[in-house]
Amino acid sequence: MFVKEGIIASPGIVIAKALVYEKIQVEVNKSKIEDAEAEIVKFQNALKKSHEQLETIRAKAVSELGAEEGAIFEAHAMVLDDPEFVEGVELEINDNHLSADHAVKIVTDRFYEIFDQMDDPYFRARVADIKDVGTRVLHNILGIVQADLSQLDDDVIIIADDLTPSDTAQMDKKRVMGFATNIGSRTSHTAIMARSLEIPAVLGLGDITETVKSGDLMVVDGLTGKVCVNPTKEQLKSYENEKLKYQNYLKELEELKDLDAVTLDGRKVELVGNIGEPNDVAGVLKNGGVGVGLYRTEFLYMNSEVMPSEEKQFAAYRSVLEAFPDGPVIIRTLDIGGDKKLPYLPMDEELNPFLGLRAIRLCFKEIGLFKIQLRAILRASVYGHAHIMFPMISSITEVRQAKTILLDCMKELDEEQLPYDKAVKVGVMIEIPSAAIAADIISKEVDFFSIGTNDLCQYTLAVDRMNQDVSYLYDPFNPAILRLIKQVTATSKDNFFTGMCGEMAGDPLAAILLLGLGLYEFSMSALSIPQIKKIIRSVRYEDAKKIAQAALDMETGEEIMDFVKDSMKKLNLNI
């Protein structure tokens, strides 16, 4: 018996036999080739076969998992068509006389390194897609057939180094009870798939494939991030009890789905979802979200080979607005720059890209691009309750500049007699310390704030959260962060609200604190909504205010976190 601890990727507890899924190691031919034309033909045939396979997998994923998961394989097909990929491979074959398989590996590794060096966890997690596509093409060139997970005889927990989207889409969903992998993060596709399938998963276990054998009895505890291999009778009994408690807890959450997020003494807040594309709406609705608190529109641009037209954007925004006829949909304008690039929009290299030409700053430079998006949002605004949100605002001057451009777009639509919501709400993300400190000034020009805690913490504490050497300093419970949040929420008044769309909004440990600090709207990943709703419905607002006030007087993040935990225990709140 032994226990290992990794990253919680999907909640729940499962007990089943292990199935170690080993990938075939591919050896490429590194000899120089003479017949480049023949290698090109091999490559093109492999591309064609890969396309056919991906279409089959996509259809299966859509049928069994949903459109969002199916879209993953549309993205894979786009990689196969990417000129940089295809031409890159053909160039290696023609100019460097590499075999088709060697050329594919070289170009795939090149793509892999570019994505792997990105700071944004979402894009870094996309290295799995690159790897998946490259491996598929390689297997098709070399005629390799990977082990089949689509038909299993028993219930199993899959143990693997990592699981590609293709692996998870094809596996026998009735028999796979959980995942445990060597690598992976909360934003990797393995984690996303596990949550879609609603099966427990613990990732990032390091060497789990080397320490577990197929047939070992395993417990995957997606609540604590632990896996237990060959548990004792006592441990097994304990895990079975915890599993039953969690199942009962899920039933309680399900019963809350259609109820308001209102405290015991009547304070009502809005729980809404963060989305990246229209397909994400289904998850928000399923989990009882009343609207969208952060629509990350950059994915619309990044999932396209050319700049998305006004019509394409209009259709996307309209579909989301129509899904929430009574709820708000906060559409964040383009947040490109930093580590997010568009292949069709040339941008100079910068020494400090996160402090450089990104988000609203880029939109001021590319006004034509900005106006297309604003026109599309305005036109869609008649189909629901659209809110326009500007990211990376540092001063009231930038707000006024953005609103001037918005006004120009409104005048254009008036001249073209195109309808839009003339009372559309306008807000800003508070993610730069200067904006938080000057919130009272900026509030004069907008209808709402949404606090982006990920960047606010990073910039306030001067810590790169992706840098492992200093990431321990990244602490949303730091007193400086809480005081800034309080300063921002203090600006809320009639017809003006403050929400939050950073990771902290979906953290159960932070919920009472944020409620007590005066937050009106919590926007988070769809799966977090039920748990936060339960906490909100279990406390009195007056008690939450006292807890928040006491926390504001404390000196360290650790002290605050311990205090919140103790307070939740006293309120009989288990998370």
Side-chain angles (χ1 to χ4, degrees):
M1 183 283 296
F2 63 90
V3 175
K4 291 180 72 72
E5 188 162 354
I7 298 166
I8 296 172
S10 181
I13 297 174
V14 64
I15 303 166
K17 293 283 181 66
L19 174 63
V20 180
Y21 178 57
E22 294 181 276
K23 296 288 183 66
I24 297 171
Q25 297 301 314
V26 176
E27 294 289 336
V28 298
N29 173 19
K30 294 185 179 176
S31 306
K32 296 290 183 185
I33 53 96
E34 294 182 356
D35 190 349
E37 194 175 329
E39 296 300 311
I40 297 278
V41 170
K42 269 191 208 174
F43 172 56
Q44 290 293 345
N45 287 339
L47 281 181
K48 185 181 175 188
K49 191 170 182 181
S50 298
H51 264 301
E52 292 168 355
Q53 291 168 342
L54 284 174
E55 177 50 32
T56 302
I57 298 169
R58 188 199 65 78
K60 183 176 168 67
V62 170
S63 166
E64 296 182 356
L65 298 169
E68 183 182 355
E69 287 71 19
I72 291 169
F73 301 100
E74 291 172 12
H76 282 201
M78 285 172 65
V79 174
L80 293 178
D81 291 331
D82 189 325
E84 285 194 43
F85 177 71
V86 176
E87 291 169 14
V89 171
E90 292 182 348
L91 207 65
E92 293 291 345
I93 294 172
N94 282 320
D95 291 4
N96 296 326
H97 309 289
L98 300 186
S99 65
D101 44 317
H102 194 189
V104 167
K105 185 165 191 322
I106 292 279
V107 175
T108 303
D109 288 349
R110 196 180 298 152
F111 270 60
Y112 184 97
E113 285 175 15
I114 292 171
F115 276 76
D116 195 39
Q117 289 171 4
M118 291 182 173
D119 285 331
D120 189 305
Y122 180 88
F123 292 104
R124 204 170 54 255
R126 301 288 77 75
V127 298
D129 296 305
I130 305 296
K131 200 172 177 182
D132 198 356
V133 174
T135 302
R136 177 172 302 285
V137 178
L138 265 182
H139 282 186
N140 285 329
I141 290 173
L142 299 171
I144 294 172
V145 179
Q146 181 64 50
D148 186 10
L149 289 176
S150 64
Q151 292 185 329
L152 301 169
D153 295 327
D154 299 304
D155 292 347
V156 294
I157 292 169
I158 300 292
I159 309 297
D161 179 56
D162 190 16
L163 290 166
T164 66
S166 304
D167 294 330
T168 47
Q170 294 179 91
M171 62 180 47
D172 186 343
K173 309 296 182 305
K174 292 178 183 169
R175 294 295 193 184
V176 175
M177 300 290 107
F179 299 151
T181 64
N182 291 340
I183 62 176
S185 68
R186 269 195 62 77
T187 50
S188 66
H189 271 312
T190 306
I192 293 169
M193 283 289 192
R195 291 195 287 271
S196 295
L197 293 166
E198 297 184 1
I199 61 174
V202 175
L203 313 183
L205 289 156
D207 60 353
I208 192 68
T209 54
E210 295 169 23
T211 49
V212 173
K213 300 188 299 294
S214 289
D216 282 345
L217 184 63
M218 279 195 70
V219 179
V220 170
D221 184 346
L223 303 178
T224 63
K226 292 179 181 174
V227 297
C228 181
V229 183
N230 294 322
T232 63
K233 283 184 180 178
E234 292 74 22
Q235 286 174 319
L236 196 56
K237 187 174 179 182
S238 172
Y239 277 117
E240 284 170 343
N241 287 337
E242 290 301 314
K243 181 179 175 183
L244 186 61
K245 278 169 60 179
Y246 183 67
Q247 288 170 340
N248 291 333
Y249 176 67
L250 290 181
K251 285 179 188 170
E252 282 183 48
L253 294 184
E254 176 65 23
E255 290 169 2
L256 301 178
K257 183 192 165 193
D258 297 322
L259 301 178
D260 289 336
V262 57
T263 63
L264 295 172
D265 51 354
R267 164 86 167 182
K268 186 177 176 183
V269 297
E270 282 189 339
L271 299 189
V272 289
N274 293 344
I275 67 168
E277 54 185 50
N279 288 334
D280 297 338
V281 163
V284 178
L285 290 168
K286 180 183 172 189
N287 287 284
V290 298
V292 172
L294 175 63
Y295 183 173
R296 297 183 175 102
T297 57
E298 54 271 21
F299 294 122
L300 191 61
Y301 291 76
M302 301 186 77
N303 291 335
S304 176
E305 293 179 342
V306 295
M307 192 77 72
S309 66
E310 182 178 315
E311 290 306 316
K312 184 174 181 179
Q313 294 190 55
F314 164 71
Y317 305 147
R318 175 180 172 173
S319 70
V320 175
L321 284 160
E322 288 181 330
F324 297 98
D326 301 317
V329 174
I330 298 179
I331 302 173
R332 181 175 71 183
T333 57
L334 187 60
D335 185 7
I336 284 292
D339 60 352
K340 298 179 219 165
K341 309 285 186 193
L342 299 176
Y344 45 81
L345 181 68
M347 294 176 66
D348 294 335
E349 290 297 320
E350 298 177 279
L351 196 57
N352 295 302
F354 281 92
L355 303 180
L357 189 64
R358 55 170 289 205
I360 196 71
R361 302 168 183 183
L362 177 68
C363 288
F364 289 155
K365 183 170 183 282
E366 302 286 345
I367 290 182
L369 173 155
F370 191 31
K371 287 181 74 174
I372 288 173
Q373 181 174 40
L374 292 175
R375 282 174 55 95
I377 297 172
L378 285 170
R379 287 175 54 201
S381 65
V382 295
Y383 296 96
H385 301 279
H387 294 42
I388 298 174
M389 179 162 70
F390 302 122
M392 198 75 184
I393 290 291
S394 63
S395 70
I396 194 169
T397 305
E398 288 177 322
V399 182
R400 289 173 176 156
Q401 189 176 351
K403 286 178 68 177
T404 299
I405 298 169
L406 180 65
L407 193 60
D408 288 343
C409 293
M410 289 177 168
K411 288 177 182 172
E412 288 177 7
L413 294 178
D414 285 336
E415 289 169 4
E416 296 167 34
Q417 297 185 333
L418 291 172
Y420 63 92
D421 178 5
K422 294 183 187 300
V424 65
K425 291 192 181 299
V426 175
V428 299
M429 275 191 85
I430 300 292
E431 51 190 337
I432 297 179
S434 64
I437 294 166
D440 59 326
I441 298 173
I442 295 175
S443 68
K444 296 172 185 171
E445 288 284 353
V446 293
D447 301 303
F448 68 93
F449 288 149
S450 184
I451 303 172
T453 47
N454 302 355
D455 274 344
L456 185 63
C457 289
Q458 180 160 260
Y459 295 137
T460 302
L461 304 175
V463 57
D464 178 355
R465 64 183 186 275
M466 304 313 299
N467 182 333
Q468 292 186 359
D469 291 331
V470 296
S471 60
Y472 69 93
L473 294 169
Y474 180 86
D475 178 14
F477 290 86
N478 183 297
I481 302 299
L482 297 193
R483 291 179 183 209
L484 280 179
I485 292 171
K486 179 61 185 172
Q487 197 162 339
V488 177
T489 58
T491 61
S492 295
K493 51 187 179 291
D494 290 344
N495 300 318
F496 182 99
F497 71 90
T498 299
M500 180 179 286
C501 56
E503 289 293 320
M504 194 177 186
D507 182 349
L509 263 184
I512 292 180
L513 210 49
L514 296 174
L515 175 71
L517 288 172
L519 208 68
Y520 167 76
E521 178 230 48
F522 296 64
S523 187
M524 63 202 81
S525 67
L527 278 178
S528 299
I529 292 173
Q531 193 173 20
I532 299 300
K533 184 183 285 188
K534 180 173 172 55
I535 293 170
I536 298 290
R537 289 181 59 86
S538 302
V539 298
R540 294 175 72 251
Y541 179 49
E542 289 303 319
D543 289 335
K545 283 202 292 187
K546 289 175 186 170
I547 291 170
Q549 186 55 53
L552 285 169
D553 294 331
M554 293 178 182
E555 296 179 351
T556 68
E558 292 81 3
E559 191 180 350
I560 292 171
M561 195 176 285
D562 288 343
F563 170 68
V564 172
K565 286 178 181 173
D566 287 343
S567 300
M568 293 184 77
K569 274 184 188 173
K570 288 174 185 170
L571 293 168
N572 205 25
L573 274 172
N574 298 313
I575 58 172

